[in-house]
Amino acid sequence: MLRKIQFLSMPLVAFVFAGFLAAQPPPPPPGGGPGGGGGGRGGRGPARPEPPSPPAPPRDLTGVWMSRGNVGQSFTKEEPELTPWGLEQYKKSLSSNNGQYTLATTNDPVLTRCDPPGTPRVYFHPYPFEFIHTPKYTLMIFEYDHTLRKIYTDGRPLPEDPDLSWMGTSVGRWENDTTFVVDTVGLNDRTWLDRVGHRHSTQLHVIERFRRLDRDHLDIEFEMTDPKALAKTWKSTFHYQLRPNWDLGEISCSGDYLDFSKFEK
């Protein structure tokens, strides 16, 4: 079933379906479950077993990838260890995703101002992304709000004094034939790390390990360090599946948004 785009307000729909996203089950193992094989885009039909996936092609993440059930409110069920500054900032967050605050009272910058989610919060939006490799850099194109991320692969080091931006400055390298390691710095402090409002400073450093388990399955291992906000490195792993027959659509903060209620009937 093809996804049906509804012309609705992005903040309104994001708020309505926050509870739905938070209630998603844990990701199934490769080869089955809601995130598994057949069906059209957005389909919620009965799970069908997948045939074993072939091995991953070497040093290649090309294609459209979709979450396998890890979209929720935060990176871990347990709270991260925060510094006194990080805890103070977190207490200022009025998240609508836990039901305590409404659209009229939340201060979530994505919902109230349509700010870009930034890295790494962009992964909490339940939409696919695509990898495109070039000789100089790898592009990540996110369906959500036309977000584009450039990961330099030409051997340059991380900048010592980067310009601050929503997605940061990223450099990547292949650790082996199936693991692509990305370091990101230079993130502004206007984004939240997750949906519930954990904050960060401009000292945030995000390391992502994109591990291609086989042709059809990908894990992203996150390590977030921020000496001002996090008392300890925060780690998590998200799971994705290749969608070779999908093309990215347009999900815009201007009002073109996806109504997930259509999939639950």
Side-chain angles (χ1 to χ4, degrees):
M1 179 178 67
L2 293 178
R3 302 196 312 168
K4 182 178 180 181
I5 299 298
Q6 305 293 320
F7 295 92
L8 302 175
S9 164
M10 188 203 76
L12 175 61
V13 179
F15 175 74
V16 169
F17 293 102
F20 162 71
L21 295 174
Q24 290 298 287
R41 189 170 181 182
R44 301 283 294 181
R48 291 179 291 176
E50 296 178 49
S53 177
R59 304 193 175 214
D60 187 4
L61 300 175
T62 301
V64 175
W65 298 88
M66 183 64 183
S67 166
R68 292 195 295 120
N70 40 248
V71 176
Q73 297 188 61
S74 192
F75 285 98
T76 54
K77 293 181 179 179
E78 303 77 18
E79 285 288 322
E81 295 186 31
L82 304 175
T83 65
W85 182 89
L87 181 59
E88 178 185 3
Q89 298 302 310
Y90 180 40
K91 289 179 178 179
K92 296 178 182 179
S93 298
L94 309 178
S95 169
S96 67
N97 289 281
N98 54 18
Q100 290 181 293
Y101 300 97
T102 66
L103 280 175
T105 57
T106 182
N107 60 0
D108 187 333
V110 170
L111 298 183
T112 58
R113 299 193 299 268
C114 274
D115 280 357
T119 304
R121 183 178 173 177
V122 68
Y123 293 104
F124 286 97
H125 292 278
Y127 304 102
F129 59 82
E130 183 173 6
F131 276 107
I132 298 176
H133 295 296
T134 79
K136 186 177 180 180
Y137 48 77
T138 292
L139 287 178
M140 289 187 75
I141 304 174
F142 294 85
E143 185 173 78
Y144 175 78
D145 210 26
H146 319 287
T147 302
L148 182 68
R149 182 184 184 194
K150 184 180 288 186
I151 302 168
Y152 292 101
T153 55
D154 55 1
R156 70 181 66 188
L158 283 172
E160 295 183 3
D161 185 22
D163 293 331
L164 300 181
S165 64
W166 299 103
M167 301 302 290
T169 298
S170 300
V171 298
R173 60 180 176 83
W174 285 97
E175 187 173 79
N176 53 49
D177 281 349
T178 57
T179 303
F180 186 55
V181 182
V182 178
D183 283 80
T184 302
V185 296
L187 294 150
N188 69 40
D189 58 4
R190 298 169 61 185
T191 66
W192 293 359
L193 289 172
D194 53 17
R195 291 179 177 271
V196 299
H198 291 103
R199 308 289 187 94
H200 65 87
S201 74
T202 58
Q203 300 177 51
L204 175 65
H205 181 187
V206 180
I207 300 176
E208 298 151 276
R209 284 182 169 82
F210 297 87
R211 297 189 185 276
R212 193 160 186 179
L213 308 179
D214 51 36
R215 185 193 64 187
D216 298 325
H217 301 97
L218 174 73
D219 281 358
I220 306 179
E221 299 174 2
F222 297 92
E223 292 185 16
M224 294 161 280
T225 57
D226 185 337
K228 188 173 182 179
L230 298 173
K232 184 180 178 180
T233 299
W234 197 7
K235 298 181 179 181
S236 184
T237 301
F238 283 5
H239 312 275
Y240 295 85
Q241 178 151 359
L242 183 67
R243 295 295 187 175
N245 297 322
W246 285 15
D247 293 316
L248 295 186
E250 291 188 346
I251 303 299
S252 172
C253 196
S254 64
D256 303 346
Y257 214 71
L258 181 63
D259 184 354
F260 271 88
S261 64
K262 305 301 181 184
F263 303 153
E264 296 304 298
K265 296 181 179 180

